[in-house]
Amino acid sequence: GNRLIFTAVKRLPLSALTDEGNPNPSASPVPVDQHTTSTAAVPRDSSVDTVAAASVVPSGALALPATATEAENQQQQEGEEEEEDADGSLEVWEYKGSASDAHSTVLYGHYHLRRVLFDRTTRMVTMDTEYAPLSEGSVGGYRSRDQMAWACDGDGHIGNKGESWQGTLIGNAPGGGMDIRNKWRNRLIFAAVKRLPLSALMDEDNPPPVEPFPVNQRTVSAAVVVPADGGGGVVTAGVGDSATCWAAALDFIDNPTPPRKDLAAMSPTDTAMARRRALAWTLAALDDDLYDVERVHAVKRLFAIRRFTTALSPDEMAVVMRRCSSELDRIGAGLKLYYEAEKLQAALGNVGAAATAENGAIQPRQHDVIPTPRTGSIYPDSSGVTMSEHSYIFMLILVAQGIDADFQKRAETAARAAAANCDYRAAPPKSFPRMYNKLWSDHRTAGAPRPSKNLDVVRALISVPDSPTLSRVFEAVGAAFGGVAFCKNNFGDPDGAAITSHYRAVYAIVKYEPTEPLTYGALAQREMAAWTTFAEARDPLEQPAVHRAINWMATGPLKDVPVKMFCELQLLLDEYTRTRESMHLYYKMERATDPDALWRDFSCRVQPQPFEAGSLIK
């Protein structure tokens, strides 16, 4: 219970990291069992327990970062010198710390503040926070973004009036320790690890390097003709000619995170004009009756640039949405005429009716065939995310990786036996960001475990030329998997597809089971090398959640359970397949609720959301 208080003496040069008198930063942390821990649930403040992508680190496993190499030191030193050319109002630091009781006798868990932004201009501190409990009694791990007032020209107080976290920045200087209490009087102590370059603010989730912009995409994109008014009315008035607009868009694509001093050198007027010019090019690229895959890739690249997309004003965002809607309406009008001319309601409206009559109209869920791991797990009923739900998503992805090849082979063989000329397209397993983001939209109130609503983790598309062939392929692929477990048919209701711009398909949900007996434990043994490679390729903050999912299957509650999984086969006519490609981009854009969501969807980032009280299903 002794209290240790530290005050900074001076900042050292980065060369101090090579001082052999420093302890080994990769030394193993103190084992959990050497701490005095509490296994009882510890009440925590909901305003603190903000949840977004619960990347939980195992208890006691928050080791210090490895020693930087001389090259890395030089690179960071150069980055810091570049940033020091700015006005000095911003500093970004990495911190680590712990949560304990008021007397520091009971350790509840560890904190890792990946990025802490100290802003003297706004007098605010913004923290990207990960919390790893020593037991799940502490609500489970979470990732959050918290913003608090900072008395930077006073006593160094940190905290918002009336909210839980209240404390002090020791020495009132970034890099100093932080001593904070919450409303339960728990003590949160944070110590700085290192100062980060300001560019870290633009690298929110450490994405992989962007691939070079291909020459053919540049050539096609440069040929886009921007109308005289920019295509967006008042929003894009005065943007200039096509070459000027493309040059602005290309600058965003080629320079996604320019040095902060370069951005600071641009006036707000120049920044807004550059964005409007790039927007004018985007609107022109989207307004084209002929689908061009190279131009579409360029548009996707632009929307994945944070400094462009998240800066869109409400008026600019509205212009983008109107363009998407108009293009979907144009494409949908042709599909409506095709549906009526081919009398597709009569031809295909009853496909899957027998499956619905046999199995019912209630959509199944993955936990109907994959028992939910419950021992030592906590799932939120309607909101929030715990480490268990985070791992559940990874479990679905790992199972999908293990069965995908066999599923695709069986489905394609059946489809081609029924229609040799069908177009069979296997899709990659559904991604983590897509399933995670659905927790805050489609699956928000689905009940635990919510990720089990994803029936299309393993999926494929089968396109055929005519109605009789589609019916024949439906029966064939159903038979290959012991029948269709659930069917959604958009051809039956003549008015029901208006909301999807008259895009129609038959979605067949089938239950995959290996032809030879196979348990999840045996699957884990077979796939362990691939799963380990997958885990190591994830962000280090996510790796513990992946390993937890692996352990559920390799040695945990699913070890002796037979492998099963619901998978989706989307059957459609060739006419819909052709328009599907051109509609997909507009659908992806139209479903975005705001510029931030639009950027996250195109950049494959998870969507941070505030924690809301919800019952936990143990």
Side-chain angles (χ1 to χ4, degrees):
N2 296 338
R3 187 180 186 189
L4 311 180
I5 301 296
F6 305 105
T7 302
V9 175
K10 62 181 178 180
R11 183 179 179 184
L12 301 175
L14 290 178
S15 58
L17 295 176
T18 62
D19 183 355
E20 66 181 9
N22 288 334
N24 179 7
S26 61
S28 301
V30 178
V32 175
D33 58 8
Q34 292 183 24
H35 292 293
T36 302
T37 61
S38 170
T39 57
V42 179
R44 299 194 57 81
D45 175 32
S46 62
S47 69
V48 175
D49 288 327
T50 307
V51 179
S55 275
V56 178
V57 181
S59 304
L62 290 176
L64 292 175
T67 303
T69 64
E70 291 186 9
E72 290 169 338
N73 290 339
Q74 179 65 27
Q75 183 179 15
Q76 181 167 341
Q77 182 68 56
E78 292 172 354
E80 290 181 355
E81 290 173 352
E82 174 183 299
E83 300 299 341
E84 287 167 358
D85 291 340
D87 60 8
S89 63
L90 299 176
E91 288 189 34
V92 184
W93 289 76
E94 178 186 7
Y95 278 76
K96 288 185 178 180
S98 62
S100 64
D101 67 345
H103 303 291
S104 299
T105 57
V106 179
L107 182 64
Y108 296 142
H110 297 297
Y111 279 95
H112 185 188
L113 312 184
R114 293 180 66 191
R115 285 170 294 272
V116 180
L117 170 64
F118 297 90
D119 190 338
R120 293 181 177 86
T121 302
T122 62
R123 298 163 57 90
M124 300 295 291
V125 175
T126 303
M127 304 177 181
D128 279 358
T129 307
E130 283 90 20
Y131 175 67
L134 292 184
S135 72
E136 287 215 24
S138 188
V139 178
Y142 65 86
R143 177 183 292 176
S144 70
R145 173 163 292 172
D146 306 294
Q147 191 172 61
M148 293 174 283
W150 170 35
C152 56
D153 54 358
D155 60 1
H157 179 80
I158 294 177
N160 298 325
K161 186 177 180 180
E163 294 186 4
S164 178
W165 282 25
Q166 303 290 333
T168 302
L169 174 62
I170 299 173
N172 202 13
M178 288 186 281
D179 190 347
I180 294 175
R181 303 290 190 279
N182 62 17
K183 71 177 184 179
W184 307 107
R185 303 307 299 164
N186 294 336
R187 189 176 183 195
L188 315 179
I189 301 295
F190 305 115
V193 175
K194 62 182 176 181
R195 185 177 180 182
L196 304 174
L198 290 178
S199 58
L201 296 175
M202 299 296 291
D203 188 23
E204 182 174 308
D205 292 305
N206 299 320
V210 178
E211 295 180 359
F213 195 10
V215 174
N216 54 339
Q217 288 185 26
R218 291 174 182 265
T219 302
V220 170
S221 301
V224 171
V225 177
V226 177
D229 65 351
V234 176
V235 171
T236 56
V239 294
D241 59 17
S242 300
T244 302
C245 293
W246 167 237
L250 184 60
D251 181 65
F252 281 104
I253 294 173
D254 283 345
N255 302 289
T257 55
R260 198 174 190 87
K261 63 181 182 181
D262 291 352
L263 294 177
M266 296 180 64
S267 69
T269 301
D270 292 341
T271 301
M273 178 55 75
R275 186 177 66 252
R276 288 199 296 270
R277 284 170 173 163
L279 176 62
W281 175 86
T282 304
L283 295 174
L286 293 173
D287 185 17
D288 198 324
D289 293 350
L290 299 177
Y291 176 83
D292 190 300
V293 66
E294 303 298 346
R295 190 178 65 251
V296 167
H297 282 313
V299 172
K300 290 179 177 180
R301 281 177 176 268
L302 182 58
F303 279 118
I305 305 302
R306 185 180 186 186
R307 70 183 182 100
F308 168 75
T309 307
T310 61
L312 293 173
S313 69
D315 288 342
E316 292 166 348
M317 186 70 176
V319 168
V320 172
M321 293 298 104
R322 285 198 298 271
R323 178 55 48 84
C324 290
S325 295
S326 65
E327 289 300 305
L328 287 173
D329 289 344
R330 176 183 61 78
I331 298 170
L335 290 180
K336 184 174 186 295
L337 293 175
Y338 174 74
Y339 176 80
E340 294 170 347
E342 296 295 319
K343 299 180 174 57
L344 295 181
Q345 181 187 16
L348 295 173
N350 289 323
V351 170
T356 301
E358 179 181 354
N359 302 316
I362 299 177
Q363 190 177 64
R365 295 177 59 168
Q366 295 292 4
H367 70 248
D368 294 334
V369 293
I370 306 175
T372 303
R374 292 181 178 274
T375 303
S377 302
I378 299 178
Y379 300 91
D381 184 26
S382 61
S383 61
V385 173
T386 64
M387 59 190 295
S388 303
E389 197 159 42
H390 196 185
S391 294
Y392 193 100
I393 296 176
F394 281 122
M395 180 188 71
L396 295 178
I397 293 174
L398 294 171
V399 173
Q401 292 176 352
I403 71 170
D404 186 67
D406 186 44
F407 169 82
Q408 302 292 356
K409 180 180 179 181
R410 195 188 309 180
E412 183 174 7
T413 299
R416 295 199 183 282
N421 61 341
C422 73
D423 180 6
Y424 185 94
R425 304 182 187 182
K430 199 168 187 176
S431 70
F432 177 88
R434 193 76 189 99
M435 284 192 274
Y436 177 84
N437 288 339
K438 277 182 171 290
L439 295 178
W440 308 103
S441 55
D442 301 359
H443 303 163
R444 189 179 189 93
T445 59
R450 291 176 297 167
S452 71
K453 288 280 288 183
N454 292 283
L455 299 177
D456 59 343
V457 184
V458 176
R459 62 267 177 91
L461 179 151
I462 307 174
S463 181
V464 297
D466 52 53
S467 299
T469 305
L470 190 149
S471 299
R472 193 165 63 249
V473 170
F474 178 87
E475 296 298 329
V477 295
F481 295 96
V484 173
F486 178 79
C487 178
K488 178 181 177 182
N489 184 345
N490 290 339
F491 287 97
D493 185 352
D495 300 319
I499 193 172
T500 58
S501 300
H502 299 280
Y503 174 80
R504 298 174 189 268
V506 175
Y507 299 87
I509 303 299
V510 298
K511 183 170 64 176
Y512 169 85
E513 297 181 63
T515 53
E516 299 294 331
L518 181 70
T519 64
Y520 287 102
L523 179 67
Q525 185 176 16
R526 189 187 77 189
E527 300 293 326
M528 188 58 70
W531 288 357
T532 301
T533 299
F534 170 79
E536 292 174 348
R538 304 295 302 185
D539 186 306
L541 291 161
E542 295 178 338
Q543 291 178 16
V546 182
H547 288 298
R548 190 167 193 248
I550 293 174
N551 291 338
W552 277 347
M553 294 180 281
T555 59
L558 298 180
K559 181 177 182 293
D560 299 320
V561 176
V563 170
K564 298 178 185 179
M565 191 178 212
F566 285 119
C567 308
E568 181 187 271
L569 292 167
Q570 184 178 164
L571 284 72
L572 62 166
L573 300 174
D574 290 343
E575 181 67 22
Y576 290 94
T577 303
R578 285 189 287 271
T579 57
R580 178 182 184 273
E581 294 176 342
S582 58
M583 296 174 83
H584 181 70
L585 175 64
Y586 304 118
Y587 274 138
K588 188 171 184 175
M589 296 170 64
E590 195 176 47
R591 72 188 177 203
T593 55
D594 54 45
D596 189 68
L598 183 63
W599 166 68
R600 290 183 181 282
D601 206 355
F602 280 93
S603 61
C604 296
R605 310 292 184 87
V606 297
Q607 177 68 56
Q609 294 286 351
F611 179 82
E612 297 177 6
S615 58
L616 297 177
I617 308 302
K618 296 186 178 181

